[in-house]
Amino acid sequence: MHAPTTLRGRLLAATIAALAGATALALASPAVANAAPAPAATAHRGPVPALDPTQFHGVNWADPRDNYANGPVVLSGLSTSDDYRTVYRTSERIIQGFRKDLGANTVRMPVNPYSVGTAWWNSYRGAIDAARHEGFRVVLGYWEGDGASKDGKVDDPAAWTGMWDTLTRTYARDRGVYFEPMNEPFGYTADQWIQVATDWVDRYTARGIPRDRVFVSGVGYNDHVDAVCAAPALAGTYVSQHYYGFWGTHDAAGWAADFTSRLGDQACSARTVLDEFGVPMTTGIDYRGSATTGDADADNSVAFLQTVTTIARERHLGAVYWPGLRTDDSYSLTTIQGSGKHLSLAVTNDSGVALLHWAWGQGRRAPFTVG
């Protein structure tokens, strides 16, 4: 059980900000604790594009299998029997729900070689196209397979490259489509992952993909971004951070210290999109309430979300919640109601949505109390 916090509501933001600032100053020093050195690489030449992670107000739309699949990825609400028109119409309603019910403008979707360039690809493109036609930014991230294939490394480099050749060629001229070479590359050391990412960036920037349309995952489970930010060859790209409440048990101060230790300095934060973070949303937890009720699991989740959304706001991170929609996931912010022309989304936790808006920089006062 975590130690109960004694912070009061109006002091929480200031306390978290102070911890974030202190940690950022420490991480900005030449010796970064526990950071693996980047491999030798030629520094990026030419102007570095201006980056604005705060433009990404998003959610993940996921396969019920958590996007790890030894087959096509099929987003919740879709079926491999759907043709392009059906996928497009269903996706249009879901994306409209993300905007209306959650206030989102960005959706992150999975891709893999079993989907891109296959028969299912002819239909799956309807989801991407519907999101773009609705004005959403779309982040396409590669997920590896499941079972023995789930080792934190690219499953089949040749197939992976072929997939990205197709995706980058298809959406090269659409500045609203972003590319994430791999989700959670935990099978690589920091040096190895930076080299894989550098090779990807070199290949596709040479083919006309701007650096500011690339999301490079943090090392491990996307859990630290400082080494990626320090790699000269990856300058000008966004970096993606993941963070979850089940990774630890802390009060607000403990979550603040842990989270900021993973973020690097403010220059790194100016490139960082938190493109996965989440807590239970279907279990009735009130995230506007106190984290000192005596319910250890709920209190930990409340302290986590209040702290992380405050730091995301103060560090000006992009924020893409996991998940906006995933069937039978207790973390999902929405569920599907109805079908066909009558399909809509239902919000599972209004207080969770309120804190997501707080992370996005909306409102003047924190939508929660503490103590």
Side-chain angles (χ1 to χ4, degrees):
M1 179 180 292
H2 67 286
T5 176
T6 60
L7 298 174
R8 304 306 301 171
R10 67 179 185 175
L11 296 179
L12 178 61
T15 301
I16 291 173
L19 281 164
T23 307
L25 287 173
L27 289 169
S29 63
V32 180
N34 300 320
T42 302
H44 166 56
R45 297 184 183 277
V48 175
L51 301 176
D52 178 16
T54 63
Q55 68 183 302
F56 300 103
H57 297 175
V59 293
N60 283 265
W61 183 10
D63 186 306
R65 295 166 295 180
D66 195 28
N67 298 342
Y68 294 98
N70 296 322
V73 282
V74 185
L75 302 177
S76 297
L78 304 182
S79 167
T80 53
S81 65
D82 293 339
D83 59 15
Y84 176 92
R85 187 176 183 179
T86 301
V87 168
Y88 184 95
R89 289 182 172 179
T90 300
S91 300
E92 187 177 42
R93 295 183 180 98
I94 288 172
I95 295 296
Q96 289 170 350
F98 287 159
R99 175 188 290 114
K100 175 180 176 289
D101 299 323
L102 304 179
N105 67 12
T106 300
V107 62
R108 182 171 177 253
M109 301 179 185
V111 291
N112 67 19
Y114 300 103
S115 304
V116 177
T118 67
W120 171 235
W121 177 236
N122 296 330
S123 297
Y124 189 47
R125 283 188 60 182
I128 301 168
D129 294 347
R132 290 299 298 130
H133 292 167
E134 287 294 321
F136 265 53
R137 297 169 178 84
V138 175
V139 180
L140 300 176
Y142 162 72
W143 261 257
E144 61 182 318
D146 199 6
S149 298
K150 191 176 178 182
D151 59 0
K153 296 182 178 180
V154 172
D155 292 339
D156 181 337
W160 177 73
T161 299
M163 177 196 73
W164 283 119
D165 285 351
T166 297
L167 286 168
T168 54
R169 182 172 60 249
T170 302
Y171 296 107
R173 297 184 180 180
D174 189 339
R175 289 198 57 83
V177 176
Y178 299 80
F179 307 106
E180 190 169 11
M182 184 174 184
N183 173 77
E184 298 187 350
F186 61 88
Y188 298 108
T189 66
D191 287 3
Q192 290 170 341
W193 169 239
I194 289 169
Q195 190 59 59
V196 171
T198 296
D199 291 343
W200 192 102
V201 169
D202 287 347
R203 179 181 180 87
Y204 294 107
T205 54
R207 298 181 178 205
I209 300 300
R211 287 172 173 265
D212 62 356
R213 288 175 55 196
V214 180
F215 281 44
V216 178
S217 296
V219 299
Y221 290 89
N222 286 52
D223 51 44
H224 284 80
V225 296
D226 46 3
V228 172
C229 284
L234 298 176
T237 65
Y238 286 101
V239 294
S240 70
Q241 170 79 42
H242 292 181
Y243 200 50
Y244 282 101
F246 65 83
W247 287 1
T249 301
H250 305 288
D251 61 9
W255 279 120
D258 184 71
F259 186 36
T260 54
S261 74
R262 300 168 182 269
L263 288 175
D265 61 16
Q266 187 56 50
C268 189
S269 290
R271 299 169 57 189
T272 299
V273 178
L274 183 62
D275 70 6
E276 281 191 29
F277 69 106
V279 282
M281 289 293 173
T282 65
T283 57
I285 297 175
D286 179 5
Y287 288 102
R288 291 188 178 100
S290 171
T292 59
T293 63
D295 183 332
D297 291 336
D299 288 354
N300 190 56
S301 294
V302 171
F304 171 88
L305 194 61
Q306 291 179 355
T307 302
V308 170
T309 55
T310 297
I311 292 175
R313 179 188 181 94
E314 299 205 358
R315 296 284 289 262
H316 305 292
L317 310 179
V320 181
Y321 179 83
W322 176 278
L325 177 63
R326 180 183 171 217
T327 303
D328 296 327
D329 186 341
S330 65
Y331 282 39
S332 186
L333 267 177
T334 68
T335 58
I336 292 176
Q337 293 190 326
S339 61
K341 295 180 180 179
H342 303 289
L343 185 150
S344 64
L345 299 182
V347 173
T348 59
N349 194 309
D350 289 333
S351 66
V353 175
L355 266 72
L356 182 57
H357 290 175
W358 181 243
W360 290 343
Q362 299 174 6
R364 294 185 177 182
R365 295 183 179 180
F368 52 81
T369 58
V370 179

